[in-house]
Amino acid sequence: EVKLDRGGQGRSRIAPTDGYSPPITVEPPQRPSAPAAVTKLKAQIAEQLARAAGYYDTGLEDFRAGRFAKAESSLYLATRYDARNPIYADLFRQAQFRARQARAVTYVQLAMQAEQYQNHKDAITNYRKAVDCDPEEGIAYARLGRLVREHEEDPREALNLVRKAVSKEPRRIEFRVQLA
């Protein structure tokens, strides 16, 4: 108990006790019983697997329709919800590869259009984006190599790009001539 005197200073006074202090009882926090926690966990896992199956179905439909970028997105989510499913992972890799190839084709087309209008800066930018997609065809590498040699004057990079074009398509004579 604290009493204040007139000066505002507090003086503490301890209340008298008879020496008995009641025991302090603390109850442990309530935990859900083991079966309830296991049931909840199983329900969460079942929900994740159901979401994964839904995303897989959507991704498979998009993949079959040739919408590889959309399929890639859906299948990515399917693999995140069910990372252990090899079927999901395999189809995701296929969709990812095909989406990358489709992006490369788009960038090559944009770069060729830019070349037609003598816009070498945009052509180089789009060819670089195409090369970043690692296309199966060597055209992006060969054209970028030629533009880099002519406009950026970097013979080492140009040589490496044309070598890559030849390695992608070894039977194309024009790439071999450009390499020579």
Side-chain angles (χ1 to χ4, degrees):
E1 178 178 319
V2 176
K3 290 191 174 186
L4 295 177
D5 64 357
R6 290 185 187 190
Q9 302 266 333
R11 289 182 286 169
S12 67
R13 186 188 293 171
I14 299 176
T17 62
D18 59 356
Y20 172 77
S21 60
I24 299 174
T25 57
V26 176
E27 294 183 26
Q30 294 285 333
R31 290 187 182 172
S33 63
V38 170
T39 304
K40 183 178 178 182
L41 184 61
K42 284 182 180 179
Q44 288 174 343
I45 291 172
E47 181 183 339
Q48 281 187 337
L49 293 177
R51 282 185 179 183
Y55 284 121
Y56 174 77
D57 292 340
T58 303
L60 182 60
E61 183 181 315
D62 288 333
F63 186 85
R64 288 181 177 158
R67 298 183 299 262
F68 300 116
K70 287 180 76 174
E72 178 185 18
S73 176
S74 295
L75 292 167
Y76 171 79
L77 292 172
T79 59
R80 291 297 151 234
Y81 282 113
D82 188 1
R84 292 183 177 185
N85 192 323
I87 295 170
Y88 296 176
D90 184 48
L91 190 60
F92 170 65
R93 282 190 295 275
Q94 290 177 32
Q96 192 175 34
F97 174 77
R98 294 212 179 157
R100 215 176 26 243
Q101 296 305 309
R103 281 192 299 271
V105 167
T106 302
Y107 288 131
V108 167
Q109 290 171 347
L110 291 171
M112 287 179 164
Q113 288 174 353
E115 272 189 288
Q116 286 177 344
Y117 292 110
Q118 303 297 317
N119 187 349
H120 302 293
K121 182 179 177 185
D122 284 347
I124 289 172
T125 301
N126 284 311
Y127 281 131
R128 285 194 193 280
K129 289 178 183 178
V131 165
D132 288 343
C133 294
D134 192 27
E136 289 184 308
E137 298 172 350
I139 191 74
Y141 295 99
R143 288 189 173 228
L144 179 58
R146 183 181 51 79
L147 288 173
V148 165
R149 185 184 44 147
E150 292 173 0
H151 298 284
E152 292 186 355
E153 299 176 4
D154 188 353
R156 184 172 295 191
E157 182 184 6
L159 180 63
N160 289 335
L161 288 165
V162 176
R163 281 181 181 159
K164 186 76 170 184
V166 170
S167 72
K168 292 282 185 175
E169 293 185 66
R171 296 189 187 265
R172 287 204 46 186
I173 303 293
E174 64 191 79
F175 296 164
R176 289 185 172 273
V177 169
Q178 186 178 348
L179 182 59

